[in-house]
Amino acid sequence: MTGLFITLEGIDGAGKSTHVDYLAHRFAAAGRTVVRTREPGGTAVGERIRELVLDHAMDVLAETLLIFSARAQHLHEVVRPALAAGSVVLCDRFTDATFAYQCGGRGVPEPSVEALAALTHGDLAPDLTLLFDTDASIARARVVARSAADRFEREDLAFFERVRARYLAQARREPGRFCVLDGGRSIAEVQASIERVIARHVG
Ligand code: TMP
């Protein structure tokens, strides 16, 4: 059985986390081995880097390089072995997030991130990317209401709007890989859409 690499993306507060559980149960019920993971993170080294990136103010290039460091370790330790073993890898964020947050949000030039992506995982891309899309002001209001918002979640509305726009641009560029889901709909409606997408991509 071939492995399947599915990534979940979206601005903070777009509701993606709610649907990871559903996807995991759905594939497990179909007899697949499921590996749930996240970026930045997913390994001991990656989780240490996550703490740094989410909690400490830093230069944007340092931020970008740390995220790719975590990604390199994650690919080596978790993602590639799981895919080689035929598992379904459900990854909460991947390189599309770097294009959205670091390029769209913070203004890092795209060619720099393209070069880092080529270096880190040139031959590997997600099979399917579910992009949870929600109005930026609604999403931001949700995360601001949470008790401990991190460095990204505390950004202003204009930042959220730039990140969202960059995600949507990426989805338009790669319509075969991306599926845009309206995170503003009910959980049941989003799950029904996810089922249709999975049936189309995976069978
Ligand atoms: P999470 O809250 O969805 O786990 O994501 C953690 C934060 O990390 C989120 O606010 C976005 C940010 N992030 C980036 O800025 N660039 C990246 O490449 C990734 C993977 C996450």
Side-chain angles (χ1 to χ4, degrees):
M1 196 172 273
T2 50
L4 191 62
F5 187 23
I6 299 179
T7 56
L8 294 93
E9 299 281 358
I11 54 175
D12 299 274
K16 78 186 151 52
S17 308
T18 314
H19 300 287
V20 188
D21 282 342
Y22 173 76
L23 278 163
H25 287 126
R26 186 235 176 261
F27 279 110
R32 301 291 303 255
T33 303
V34 176
V35 173
R36 285 177 61 160
T37 188
R38 68 174 180 180
E39 290 205 353
T43 65
V45 165
E47 292 295 328
R48 295 286 293 274
I49 292 175
R50 180 185 177 91
E51 282 173 31
L52 279 174
V53 168
L54 266 56
D55 298 337
H56 295 266
M58 66 180 72
D59 171 71
V60 65
L61 179 60
E63 177 180 291
T64 306
L65 293 171
L66 279 173
I67 286 169
F68 271 105
S69 297
R71 183 161 297 140
Q73 187 64 29
H74 188 220
L75 285 159
H76 170 74
E77 215 178 299
V78 177
V79 178
R80 288 190 192 278
L83 292 174
S87 302
V88 176
V89 176
L90 298 177
C91 189
D92 194 335
R93 301 194 186 280
F94 191 59
T95 299
D96 294 308
T98 319
F99 282 108
Y101 282 81
Q102 278 65 47
C103 299
R106 303 222 195 275
V108 174
E110 286 197 15
S112 306
V113 170
E114 276 161 11
L116 289 167
L119 179 69
T120 311
H121 58 90
D123 57 335
L124 181 73
D127 297 297
L128 172 65
T129 297
L130 301 175
L131 173 57
F132 294 85
D133 181 53
T134 303
D135 177 80
S137 54
I138 294 173
R140 185 166 181 278
R142 280 187 196 151
V143 296
V144 168
R146 287 180 199 157
S147 52
D150 65 39
R151 214 158 62 78
F152 293 91
E153 293 168 338
R154 288 195 301 270
E155 289 286 349
D156 63 14
L157 180 59
F159 178 87
F160 274 64
E161 279 170 346
R162 290 196 302 277
V163 173
R164 181 188 184 203
R166 186 60 189 72
Y167 267 133
L168 290 172
Q170 188 72 11
R172 281 193 297 275
R173 230 178 269 179
E174 291 186 66
R177 170 165 73 86
F178 269 86
C179 170
V180 182
L181 298 159
D182 179 354
R185 290 180 305 157
S186 73
I187 291 175
E189 283 172 323
V190 175
Q191 284 175 358
S193 299
I194 290 175
E195 271 313 314
R196 285 194 291 275
V197 174
I198 301 287
R200 210 163 55 227
H201 271 79
V202 187

